[in-house]
Amino acid sequence: MIHWKAPPEGWLKVNTDAAVFPGRQRIGIGIVVRDWLGNIVLARQCSMFGCYSPRLAEIMGIREALSWLKGEDNIIVESDTMDVIREIRNPSIVELEMLVEDCLELIKQFDNICFIFVGRCANQAAHVLAQYVSSISGHQEWACHFPEFLTTVTASDMI
């Protein structure tokens, strides 16, 4: 089983994930930012109304993370959606959707940013945050005193 891996010293790793709740016409987005020691630095949940495909929800999650973290340097963004990561890394391979174009514009505001595909096992913290969105509306974020369900997941990532 592959677990989350810490970024190099001086870098932040941003894991994003989305959950689609079609019966409720809602999506959930989870974003977890950790440092090179594996410590959670920031976390955010977003609940958005609308009917979106899982793919579009994942792109919205990455765009939300980029918008939220503008101005940070040395960022590694990880997602478990390979085709979205591929599109962002190689934008000329297909005709781009507007949301991907938004991401590309936001990327210009960062120094030292890269995008990596990871399997679901290495993206559990963001996945759990996205799943827990059903209990909130709007956005919720933490810069300290993270919820227990999140710290439990991140602690098991480091084993």
Side-chain angles (χ1 to χ4, degrees):
M1 186 137 169
I2 297 177
H3 293 281
W4 181 88
K5 290 186 173 100
E9 187 171 344
W11 286 72
L12 294 174
K13 187 170 277 189
V14 180
N15 288 87
T16 69
D17 200 22
V20 177
F21 306 105
R24 293 186 235 156
Q25 297 188 350
R26 173 188 270 196
I27 64 168
I29 293 170
I31 304 166
V32 180
V33 181
R34 290 194 262 180
D35 65 16
W36 63 93
L37 298 172
N39 298 319
I40 305 171
V41 176
L42 297 166
R44 187 175 208 190
Q45 295 179 303
C46 305
S47 176
M48 298 178 186
F49 290 101
C51 292
Y52 299 99
S53 69
R55 184 178 180 290
L56 281 178
E58 295 285 352
I59 296 169
M60 291 170 74
I62 292 172
R63 183 181 67 175
E64 183 72 25
L66 294 173
S67 180
W68 183 43
L69 297 170
K70 280 189 287 196
E72 293 287 339
D73 292 323
N74 301 333
I75 301 283
I76 298 168
V77 179
E78 290 185 337
S79 169
D80 57 15
T81 309
M82 186 182 296
D83 64 323
V84 172
I85 293 296
R86 189 179 303 131
E87 269 186 71
I88 289 171
R89 289 170 52 176
N90 303 302
S92 62
I93 60 174
V94 292
E95 188 174 312
L96 296 176
E97 296 171 85
M98 194 169 10
L99 288 173
V100 174
E101 288 178 8
D102 286 352
C103 290
L104 295 174
E105 283 302 312
L106 286 165
I107 289 167
K108 293 175 183 177
Q109 299 178 36
F110 292 85
D111 289 330
N112 297 327
I113 187 169
C114 65
F115 293 82
I116 298 174
F117 164 76
V118 293
R120 172 67 55 83
C121 332
N123 206 34
Q124 281 299 309
H127 177 73
V128 166
L129 269 182
Q131 292 293 320
Y132 272 80
V133 161
S134 61
S135 62
I136 69 162
S137 64
H139 296 60
Q140 185 168 356
E141 60 186 68
W142 300 268
C144 59
H145 306 292
F146 302 99
E148 186 177 342
F149 68 84
L150 180 59
T151 58
T152 301
V153 171
T154 58
S156 69
D157 270 351
M158 299 302 291
I159 295 173

